[in-house]
Amino acid sequence: MDTWMLSALPDAPARVLDAGCGAGALAAALIARGHDVTAIDLDPSAARAAGVPAREADLTVYEDDPFDVIVLSLSLHHMHPLEAALDRTAALLRPGGRLVVDEFAWDWADAAAATWFYDVGRLLGRFDRPEPDPLARWRAAHVDHSPAGDMLDAVAARFEVVRMRRVPYLFRYLGGEHAARLKEIEEVRHQPTGFRLTAVTRVTGVTNGT
Ligand SMILES: C[S@@+](CC[C@H](N)C(=O)[O-])C[C@H]1O[C@@H](n2cnc3c(N)ncnc32)[C@H](O)[C@@H]1O
């Protein structure tokens, strides 16, 4: 868990939903910090293999008791329908509860970023041939993922966004031992392809009509 995620979370113990937990690394870190974590995924097998008691569940239809915090870490762009995922997120958060989103903004990558991504990926052995049209390949690879603007609009329609910043992301995708150096280069050379935000449930005032 990095410093941003730490700063985005309340002190333990909080009741936390990690929706789309994947291999369970974040859920395991949250449990280790003393949070009461429910981890869900369409396919919880990788998380379970890592020792996280993840449930097989689809956030778009998930029902449970209210949570203090819901974390969507690199999962929201995969969730369809996007609106249903965020409707359930809003319904599952207690009043005043916190939404933490760490996301990939694939559609913010331009031709220069896509070219850099495939060139560096090839150097790292991730891709085996030069890419003649990097941006076309990039777009084709991500066409079934929600664009960042749709995610941000759908969050803002349901929550008060407290903090939002655009961040580099490609270095995380490329990973490996050079990730820290790649992050420095990406920050200087390319526009952000990720965003991180915290938001809270809207507090709706009750009026008596007078
Ligand atoms: C890229 S992985 C992210 C995993 C992890 N949260 C992380 O930060 O590395 C996205 C995960 O979201 C899950 N997912 C996609 N749609 C989902 C849905 N509707 N409900 C629950 N999980 C979903 C996928 O199965 C996948 O494991």
Side-chain angles (χ1 to χ4, degrees):
M1 185 168 12
D2 68 12
T3 52
W4 173 80
M5 183 60 78
L6 273 177
S7 73
L9 293 167
D11 292 339
R15 184 169 146 76
V16 181
L17 175 66
D18 179 1
C21 66
L26 177 60
L30 293 168
I31 292 167
R33 293 192 74 81
H35 292 294
D36 172 12
V37 178
T38 299
I40 66 169
D41 202 286
L42 294 178
D43 177 3
S45 57
R48 288 178 184 164
V52 173
R55 298 181 190 171
E56 180 177 343
D58 178 346
L59 179 64
T60 66
V61 293
Y62 187 62
E63 307 221 2
D64 205 332
D65 294 334
F67 290 91
D68 301 313
V69 181
I70 298 181
V71 179
L72 301 173
S73 171
L74 307 178
S75 56
L76 185 60
H77 65 278
H78 288 287
M79 293 181 176
H80 304 294
L82 173 64
E83 303 286 333
L86 287 166
D87 281 345
R88 288 314 304 153
T89 301
L92 287 162
L93 268 178
R94 68 163 172 77
R98 192 178 307 184
L99 171 63
V100 178
V101 182
D102 182 9
E103 261 304 341
F104 172 39
W106 65 271
D107 54 310
W108 291 346
D110 58 11
T115 301
W116 183 76
F117 174 79
Y118 287 113
D119 284 351
V120 173
R122 187 154 179 257
L123 276 175
L124 296 177
R126 294 276 302 270
F127 309 112
D128 56 9
R129 60 187 164 83
E131 182 48 58
D133 190 344
L135 190 57
R137 179 173 174 184
W138 177 261
R139 287 180 173 154
H142 299 100
V143 71
D144 60 338
H145 297 171
S146 293
D150 290 3
M151 291 191 277
L152 289 168
D153 287 350
V155 169
R158 294 163 178 82
F159 300 91
E160 294 289 346
V161 176
V162 179
R163 282 191 298 169
M164 197 298 265
R165 65 191 171 102
R166 295 172 174 233
V167 293
Y169 175 80
L170 300 176
F171 77 97
R172 295 169 73 182
Y173 208 143
L174 292 162
E177 58 180 311
H178 302 294
R181 183 75 186 102
L182 290 173
K183 180 184 180 192
E184 288 174 17
I185 296 168
E186 187 181 343
E187 271 176 329
V188 172
R189 300 269 178 218
H190 298 293
Q191 57 199 39
T193 49
F195 66 86
R196 290 176 148 182
L197 67 81
T198 54
V200 292
T201 48
R202 285 188 202 286
V203 180
T204 47
V206 178
T207 59
N208 61 11
T210 58

